[in-house]
Amino acid sequence: MSQSASPSPAAWGEAPSPRYAALAARFRPVFARIREGAVAREQERHLPHEAVGWLREARFGALRVPEAEGGFGASLPDLFELLAELAEADSNLPQALRNHFGFAEDTVGSPQDPRRAHWVARLAAGDLFGGAWSETGAAAVGRFETRIHRLGEGWGLTGRKYYTTGSLFADWIDVVGTGEAGEETSVVVPARGPGVEVIDDWDGFGQRLTASGTALFENAPAVGEPLPTALRFAYGPAFFQAVHLATLTGIARAAAGEVTQAVRRRERTYSHASGPRASADPQILQVVGRAHSLAYAAGALNRHAAHAVQRSYEARIRGLPEAEAHAIHVAVEIELAQAQTVLTSLVLEATTILFDALGASATSRSHSLDRHWRNARTISSHNPRIYKDRVVGDYAVNGTEPPFQWKIGRVLAE
């Protein structure tokens, strides 16, 4: 390719389905608008209310709703590839929507009943859902201090949650707590309803715009009846991890794209460099190529993991015998654990080595190139990867099934 020729677009691989191009074309203009303001939002810590509004208007949250019910009928591979594209524009957004898509996934695969019909209609209309599951403080592992209790003729919610990612931008919040009989159950409350307060007190050094802070509930009226968590989708942990993989993939692509642009524009070089310009320096080009290869490998793992989660979804809706469906969910959980540890390392390397292709000026806060590593490091701190290799090894050697719920808290003395 001559110096004057236009550079080729990044080769991230084949689309996940024949209809992906049409789906992506619908949302790419929105992604482009989001990308334009991403650095400014990061620098000013300006929460992406406007960007979330654009996604709501485009009914991005209706991706998994069947077409016959007013949605787009996207497969899970389609969904996770679109989330990677969104993350490439701004990685805060797919994480802010992670709880939304978890609620949507659980809902669309549920049995046909009035509850499903009600929430599918809201999803198809473009409503967004946040989540409030985790608790901090003295909460014990596997127990929730948040209470779901009778309130008048219906149900209410009282408690305090943290890591309530996306709830500040949502219309509804899916909350897990302890029912009146001590069971683990869940309800949905209006995000701006009485007795609900969502606070932007998330202080992580990465994913700073996800509003992953505190939510307070004081006799907040719930909509409908509580749903026991035992009845929710069994492949939930794999699904939620897959959203993280898609987000990490988008971060790697963004890092590769930005270092490419920076090298293409860079005019300064070093006396001991291997070329007169960065764009003609084989060592610099090698770093850029390595960043692209790492992003490509992350995308390949993301795509493969997405097909695994699709198998779990199909096992659920086909009504397979319990033992057969369980075996599929176990295999998928192991696949996602394997993908998580490797993909995370690829992305952390890509977001680190990009600085090797640039001078010290690349560390200027005005470029915000550090955000890619900070964001990737923050996401990879969730559902800690250090445990996943052990889980895989224990399964491989001893046949020990992986845990199907990741919970955090204090271990109480017996």
Side-chain angles (χ1 to χ4, degrees):
M1 185 176 71
S2 68
Q3 286 287 82
S4 59
S6 298
S8 299
W12 299 134
E14 186 179 17
S17 76
R19 66 186 299 255
Y20 182 77
L23 265 177
R26 180 184 185 92
F27 298 109
R28 279 174 179 160
V30 180
F31 297 166
R33 291 176 72 189
I34 289 170
R35 182 182 294 107
E36 288 176 2
V39 172
R41 286 192 297 271
E42 173 75 20
Q43 292 169 346
E44 299 165 8
R45 201 180 179 279
H46 182 68
L47 293 178
H49 288 284
E50 186 177 35
V52 171
W54 298 334
L55 292 168
R56 182 186 281 107
E57 291 170 9
R59 296 195 306 123
F60 187 69
L63 277 168
R64 286 288 287 154
V65 175
E67 288 183 280
E69 296 179 275
F72 298 106
S75 67
L76 284 170
D78 287 339
L79 171 66
F80 293 125
E81 186 63 24
L82 282 167
L83 289 177
E85 287 203 31
L86 176 58
E88 187 176 356
D90 185 338
S91 67
N92 291 282
L93 272 300
Q95 187 174 354
L97 295 175
R98 180 170 174 257
N99 287 317
H100 168 87
F101 282 111
F103 180 85
E105 186 66 21
D106 187 31
T107 301
V108 299
S110 295
Q112 297 285 349
D113 60 19
R115 180 186 183 279
R116 182 190 181 282
H118 174 82
W119 291 121
V120 164
R122 298 318 315 153
L123 288 163
D127 286 11
L128 296 179
F129 292 74
W133 291 39
S134 298
E135 297 178 358
T136 54
V141 173
R143 300 183 188 177
F144 294 104
E145 294 184 350
T146 297
R147 298 291 165 179
I148 295 170
H149 51 80
R150 280 290 179 184
L151 184 65
E153 297 182 358
W155 293 89
L157 173 68
T158 298
R160 180 187 186 95
K161 296 287 189 176
Y162 196 66
Y163 301 116
T164 54
T165 305
S167 293
L168 194 63
F169 312 117
D171 302 294
W172 309 91
I173 306 177
D174 176 28
V175 190
V176 172
T178 302
E180 292 191 324
E183 77 282 18
E184 185 179 299
T185 190
S186 62
V187 291
V188 177
V189 300
R192 281 166 285 281
V196 178
E197 182 181 6
V198 183
I199 304 169
D200 175 29
D201 58 351
W202 168 242
D203 65 350
F205 64 65
Q207 296 297 93
R208 298 170 64 233
L209 309 182
T210 57
S212 299
T214 300
L216 304 174
F217 305 96
E218 184 63 39
N219 291 321
V223 177
E225 296 290 310
L227 177 67
T229 56
L231 299 180
R232 304 189 68 158
F233 63 142
Y235 60 97
F239 178 91
F240 284 114
Q241 190 61 63
V243 176
H244 279 328
L245 299 189
T247 305
L248 286 165
T249 296
I251 290 172
R253 291 175 180 176
E258 289 190 36
V259 71
T260 299
Q261 294 293 332
V263 166
R264 189 178 295 137
R265 294 191 302 263
R266 185 168 171 79
E267 297 181 354
R268 288 161 59 85
T269 190
Y270 291 91
S271 58
H272 52 298
S274 300
R277 290 174 57 90
S279 59
D281 186 325
Q283 289 183 277
I284 300 299
L285 295 177
Q286 182 176 357
V287 175
V288 174
R290 175 69 176 170
H292 275 261
S293 297
L294 291 164
Y296 173 81
L301 279 170
N302 178 58
R303 212 164 277 135
H304 200 72
H307 283 287
V309 183
Q310 178 76 20
R311 287 196 294 277
S312 263
Y313 164 72
E314 291 170 359
R316 184 188 188 195
I317 63 171
R318 283 163 53 197
L320 296 178
E322 185 176 344
E324 186 177 347
H326 181 73
I328 292 173
H329 298 327
V330 168
V332 169
E333 186 65 32
I334 293 296
E335 283 199 53
L336 268 291
Q338 293 172 144
Q340 177 188 353
T341 58
V342 177
L343 189 150
T344 297
S345 296
L346 296 173
V347 178
L348 289 174
E349 181 182 351
T351 56
T352 298
I353 66 170
L354 70 87
F355 292 97
D356 293 332
L358 305 168
S361 60
T363 64
S364 170
R365 291 182 181 179
S366 64
H367 301 306
S368 293
L369 289 175
D370 62 305
R371 77 188 190 280
H372 299 307
W373 181 88
R374 288 188 292 101
N375 292 340
R377 181 65 268 181
T378 298
I379 292 174
S380 59
S381 298
H382 293 294
N383 317 320
R385 61 179 178 150
I386 63 165
Y387 300 126
K388 295 305 180 70
D389 281 334
R390 188 208 73 229
V391 167
V392 172
D394 198 9
Y395 176 77
V397 174
N398 302 309
T400 305
E401 290 191 0
F404 276 91
Q405 284 294 332
W406 311 323
K407 296 177 180 179
I408 189 169
R410 299 176 184 271
V411 176
L412 301 180
E414 296 184 1

